[in-house]
Amino acid sequence: MPPTPPRLPQIALIYGNDEAAVARERYGLERAHLPHGEESGDVVDIRGAGTQRLELKKCVQEIIGELGTVSMLGDAKRVVTVHDLADFRTAQKSKRASKSTKTDEFDLLGNYLRDVLPTTDNAIIFVVNENDEKRDRSLEKSSRMYDLVSRLGQVIERRVKRLDYQLEEALFKRDLVKSLHLLREWFDRSGSSSGRIVGFFNTFIQLLLQARLQLEAQQAGLDARNLFASDMRPSIKSVPSFKYDALRGFASQTSMEQLRRALELAHETQRHAFPSGAMPVVQDPQDLLEQLIVELLAPAQAMAR
């Protein structure tokens, strides 16, 4: 007797910062519920209007109404997909503050999903796309919506390593092509906000300079442990050991001239990322940082010639 296939979840949350993987999971679950497409039912998308955030208090009746729709076709079903519900990003208030005698939108939806939805063939999928460049776009696991869905349904998380971590690894490996690719992807994701990218390079170059100065002090027979003030920021003393070793390894293959030039470009990028009215020409920060990467990853002996 063949094994019974796992039952499809009627309630699911798919979230994470890997937008492509989140989309694949959503399409896969929708198609699993509706294997024959429109012949077997409908997918109903519920989204916020324009740039407005979708809030449960404004759409709970629409969600329940769509889930409660009975198809005129016998075995057809409906899958309701709710996109980027803001309530997943809001931490739950304290129990004392959240006590209330009236039924709110969470109770209304929770009661429906727990008691009524299982009596139908319909399903609901919540999709939350996170953006590492916008801290307020992260899902909050202490939210009432996350608690509700995790108790009643299935939660699927799809996450990739943050772009700044990936870029740092590529730089340490002196992988020019991947470093440039990740930089461009980071700019694409951040839109017009380049502050975090510029800050990343300023910090990275300053830590490399500290590592290089430590190496030169040791080569001169000096004690490099207290070369920098304890309250210096950023400080190579405060980085984890694996990163400390990577910084020193990179610095040993990089000339002081390269590091000085990289720091100049990082400061220049800062000026052009946040230009003043007195600047006659404003350069593209991405172009400047691409130049920084190319010069930084060039062999030290090539730069010396």
Side-chain angles (χ1 to χ4, degrees):
M1 184 175 181
T4 303
R7 185 173 182 271
L8 284 173
Q10 273 189 290
I11 305 166
L13 164 64
I14 306 170
Y15 79 98
N17 66 353
D18 189 339
E19 188 174 346
V22 168
R24 286 195 299 270
E25 290 287 351
R26 171 171 67 89
Y27 285 124
L29 194 51
E30 288 172 351
R31 294 285 73 82
H33 276 289
L34 306 173
H36 305 296
E38 293 182 0
E39 294 181 9
S40 52
D42 301 313
V43 174
V44 178
D45 290 297
I46 298 179
R47 305 174 184 269
T51 59
Q52 295 181 357
R53 289 188 173 186
L54 183 66
E55 296 181 351
L56 185 61
K57 63 183 178 182
K58 296 180 180 179
C59 67
V60 63
Q61 294 293 347
E62 181 183 4
I63 292 172
I64 291 175
E66 294 291 355
L67 286 173
T69 299
V70 178
S71 174
M72 299 298 291
L73 304 174
D75 57 350
K77 66 192 300 186
R78 174 163 292 202
V79 178
V80 177
T81 302
V82 183
H83 298 265
D84 289 314
L85 191 64
D87 303 79
F88 279 107
R89 308 183 196 276
T90 305
Q92 185 173 348
K93 297 179 181 179
S94 66
K95 292 183 178 180
R96 179 179 298 178
S98 63
K99 281 185 177 180
S100 174
T101 56
K102 67 177 183 179
T103 300
D104 62 12
E105 63 270 11
F106 292 98
D107 295 327
L108 186 63
L109 181 63
N111 292 339
Y112 185 90
L113 296 182
R114 184 186 65 247
D115 301 329
V116 182
L117 185 63
T119 67
T120 75
D121 290 328
N122 295 335
I124 184 167
I125 303 170
F126 296 95
V127 177
V128 179
N129 281 295
E130 296 182 325
N131 187 330
D132 293 331
E133 303 309 307
K134 299 176 182 178
R135 303 289 178 87
D136 64 336
R137 298 272 318 221
S138 296
L139 178 138
E140 178 58 66
K141 289 188 176 181
S142 67
S143 68
R144 294 179 71 185
M145 275 305 304
Y146 183 89
D147 177 67
L148 174 65
V149 177
S150 62
R151 283 189 290 105
L152 299 180
Q154 179 179 352
V155 175
I156 302 170
E157 180 182 9
R158 290 294 175 262
R159 187 172 300 283
V160 291
K161 186 179 293 185
R162 282 173 33 174
L163 278 174
D164 51 344
Y165 295 159
Q166 293 185 58
L167 178 55
E168 189 175 70
E169 287 182 359
L171 289 169
F172 281 141
K173 293 178 180 177
R174 308 190 83 91
D175 188 332
L176 177 60
V177 173
K178 188 171 184 179
S179 296
L180 292 174
H181 171 77
L182 290 168
L183 176 69
R184 291 162 188 165
E185 184 178 350
W186 197 354
F187 268 99
D188 288 343
R189 288 196 192 181
S190 63
S192 60
S193 176
S194 58
R196 286 191 64 228
I197 307 176
V198 175
F200 165 85
F201 278 95
N202 267 309
T203 298
F204 186 71
I205 301 304
Q206 289 183 56
L207 290 173
L208 283 175
L209 273 167
Q210 292 176 38
R212 180 72 193 189
L213 289 169
Q214 278 189 345
L215 289 170
E216 293 191 355
Q218 289 175 345
Q219 290 171 2
L222 303 175
D223 185 357
R225 288 175 297 180
N226 298 314
L227 193 60
F228 307 109
S230 59
D231 59 349
M232 189 174 183
R233 295 292 181 273
S235 172
I236 196 169
K237 292 182 177 181
S238 64
V239 301
S241 59
F242 73 89
K243 185 172 180 178
Y244 177 80
D245 293 338
L247 286 165
R248 285 171 63 89
F250 189 101
S252 68
Q253 303 174 47
T254 311
S255 69
M256 183 61 78
E257 179 58 33
Q258 282 176 277
L259 293 174
R260 289 198 187 99
R261 173 60 180 156
L263 189 61
E264 289 174 3
L265 280 169
H267 289 166
E268 187 72 6
T269 305
Q270 180 96 20
R271 290 179 57 244
H272 289 276
F274 305 99
S276 66
M279 293 176 64
V281 178
V282 178
Q283 298 185 59
D284 186 347
Q286 181 176 332
D287 290 342
L288 291 170
L289 290 179
E290 287 184 5
Q291 182 183 348
L292 183 158
I293 289 175
V294 170
E295 295 189 16
L296 185 64
L297 297 188
Q301 59 269 28
M303 293 295 297
R305 288 198 294 266

